[in-house]
Amino acid sequence: MERAGDFVTKRAYNFNAGPAALPLEVLERAQAEFVDFRNTGMSIMEMSHRGAVYESVHNEAQERLLSLLGNPKGYKVLFLQGGASTQFAMLPMNLLGAGQTASYIMTGSWAKKALSEAKLIGETRIAASSEADKFMKLPDVSNLDLPERTAYVHITSNETIEGTQFKSFPDTGSVPLIADMSSDIFCKPFDLNQFGMIYAGAQKNLGPSGITVVIAREELVSESPKTIPTMFRYSTHVENNSLYNTPPSFSVYMVNEVLKWIEEQGGLAGIEQKNIKKAELLYDTIDSSGDFYRGCVVPEDRSLMNVTFRLASEELEKKFIKASEQEGFVGLKGHRSVGGLRASIYNAAPYESVKALTDFMNHFQQTNG
């Protein structure tokens, strides 16, 4: 049982892939400030995004994002809307010019969606792919063969559906490396200087749905083609500090609070250790089950965030899901495109929830093995 405000409530064991679990501490802080933010007599959702109170939160969140990454020089933080799916199109619209090629690394469902949008805009190329392995492993990206006039290389750092994650990233030299980090951003430290741009929908590790974070080298986003609509130009949002139109103000506030919480966990290094501990517990339970549970992804490419596994039959998987729901577990059904089971153990999923899941898995095996 957990206490939230004046109410005692039982928290679900939330393994949803997104929108996903948020830290209880953050939810409680938001609850306390929901009606009256900083003694203004207003919720942050009610106040002007042009006012000093909101703008201070907006700027603080941008500064905190870069601070957690070591304050790298020359990068700009943008708060946009439309999710990563809009970035799939916005990216080539801004950065893929005539006579250039965009290279994509094919690792699964989200990489394929990003490529399909880019194909509508300009010339594309698959630089590496693991489709022949049904995306249950990652392709070798150590020596990419990039054509001349490559505008950028796009990579999906973590495939939410398949459950793969890059442990390191390719060196693309002078060609900008751009990453969709929606499902593993800030789960561990990384060197932003490797990237021309990263982007992420917030609803997995950064906050609630409704906001997309873009962190980009300023020279990449300071000038956009005038032939694309104003709202789809990165330069529009750079020039207006992501305040060209009304931002998702409550979502920005929540991102800032989640970032504070990450700092309280010891920053990205502290979060990584917590995530490793959770993932090891769950993968060890799968691997020690004598093939009752079978991990989908080759061990070296397994995700810290999305643990995918199968049972002997779909009937047994349905039984597992039904039994788990009766015990308060949420979100364990695999994505409809691949089936199976999936536990999304993002930053805010507590160790206690993962321990409860592994206890349930052991009991289920004992009664169904």
Side-chain angles (χ1 to χ4, degrees):
M1 305 289 278
E2 304 284 358
R3 180 167 293 278
D6 294 325
F7 301 96
V8 176
T9 181
K10 187 178 189 305
R11 298 279 289 163
Y13 298 123
N14 186 353
F15 295 99
N16 277 324
L22 286 162
L24 180 62
E25 300 94 321
V26 170
L27 293 172
E28 290 179 334
R29 290 176 200 168
Q31 182 185 47
E33 296 183 323
F34 192 75
V35 174
D36 185 5
F37 183 67
R38 296 183 182 175
N39 298 314
T40 60
M42 296 179 286
S43 169
I44 196 166
M45 292 189 292
E46 298 177 290
M47 59 183 61
S48 171
H49 62 290
R50 308 290 182 196
V53 175
Y54 171 74
E55 205 159 343
S56 68
V57 174
H58 187 95
N59 293 337
E60 188 178 304
Q62 293 173 327
E63 291 162 7
R64 193 164 262 118
L65 278 160
L66 291 176
S67 174
L68 282 163
L69 293 170
N71 288 311
K73 302 300 181 187
Y75 285 86
K76 195 76 177 175
V77 175
L78 304 177
F79 293 140
L80 306 179
Q81 298 173 62
S85 295
T86 295
Q87 291 308 303
F88 296 162
M90 194 167 170
L91 171 63
M93 288 169 75
N94 281 265
L95 301 185
L96 180 53
Q100 293 182 312
T101 301
S103 290
Y104 280 71
I105 296 169
M106 284 289 95
T107 50
S109 303
W110 292 109
K112 290 179 78 172
K113 288 187 176 185
L115 174 63
S116 68
E117 292 296 285
K119 284 180 176 179
L120 301 174
I121 309 301
E123 291 298 318
T124 62
R125 181 176 183 272
I126 295 176
S129 175
S130 57
E131 188 163 13
D133 299 296
K134 298 183 179 178
F135 298 126
M136 291 299 113
K137 62 180 293 188
L138 293 172
D140 180 8
V141 295
S142 59
N143 189 26
L144 298 176
D145 180 20
L146 302 177
E148 288 187 30
R149 301 208 67 201
T150 298
Y152 59 83
V153 175
H154 183 279
I155 194 168
T156 306
S157 59
N158 184 89
E159 284 285 0
T160 322
I161 293 173
E162 287 79 10
T164 57
Q165 183 182 30
F166 280 96
K167 307 303 186 288
S168 61
F169 299 101
D171 180 359
T172 55
S174 60
V175 177
L177 178 62
I178 296 175
D180 173 6
M181 289 191 171
S182 293
S183 54
D184 70 341
I185 191 170
F186 283 13
C187 79
K188 58 181 180 177
F190 67 95
D191 182 7
L192 183 64
N193 290 299
Q194 289 181 273
F195 298 92
M197 179 191 298
I198 64 171
Y199 63 91
Q203 66 274 10
K204 302 175 191 294
N205 260 355
L206 291 180
S209 57
I211 179 173
T212 308
V213 171
V214 173
I215 307 177
R217 289 192 183 277
E218 290 190 47
E219 65 263 25
L220 278 182
V221 292
S222 58
E223 291 187 27
S224 299
K226 298 298 189 289
T227 53
I228 60 177
T230 305
M231 276 295 292
F232 291 101
R233 299 175 199 165
Y234 288 126
S235 60
T236 297
H237 305 288
V238 171
E239 292 162 7
N240 293 277
N241 190 31
S242 300
L243 293 166
Y244 177 78
N245 69 324
T246 307
S249 52
F250 186 74
S251 293
V252 172
Y253 158 78
M254 287 292 287
V255 166
N256 192 40
E257 293 301 317
V258 170
L259 296 174
K260 288 180 190 176
W261 176 82
I262 291 175
E263 290 174 342
E264 292 162 4
Q265 309 310 302
L268 300 186
I271 281 287
E272 180 183 31
Q273 292 309 306
K274 293 175 186 290
N275 287 331
I276 289 172
K277 186 179 177 184
K278 291 185 297 185
E280 284 182 345
L281 175 62
L282 187 46
Y283 283 122
D284 285 349
T285 300
I286 293 167
D287 293 341
S288 63
S289 70
D291 272 352
F292 184 82
Y293 301 108
R294 290 174 287 109
C296 298
V297 174
V298 297
E300 61 269 25
D301 293 333
R302 285 171 165 176
S303 170
L304 280 178
M305 299 282 95
N306 306 103
V307 178
T308 54
F309 57 103
R310 301 299 304 249
L311 275 72
S313 67
E314 289 187 9
E315 289 72 27
L316 194 57
E317 289 172 351
K318 289 176 182 176
K319 186 176 182 181
F320 179 96
I321 292 164
K322 184 176 181 180
S324 70
E325 289 172 347
Q326 291 171 348
E327 295 298 321
F329 295 93
V330 177
L332 292 173
K333 187 176 182 180
H335 192 272
R336 62 186 178 276
S337 65
V338 296
L341 302 163
R342 172 179 59 178
S344 295
I345 51 174
Y346 300 123
N347 289 354
Y351 180 85
E352 292 74 20
S353 289
V354 180
K355 179 63 168 63
L357 173 59
T358 58
D359 289 345
F360 169 80
M361 290 169 69
N362 288 330
H363 177 72
F364 186 84
Q365 180 176 358
Q366 289 167 9
T367 55
N368 294 274

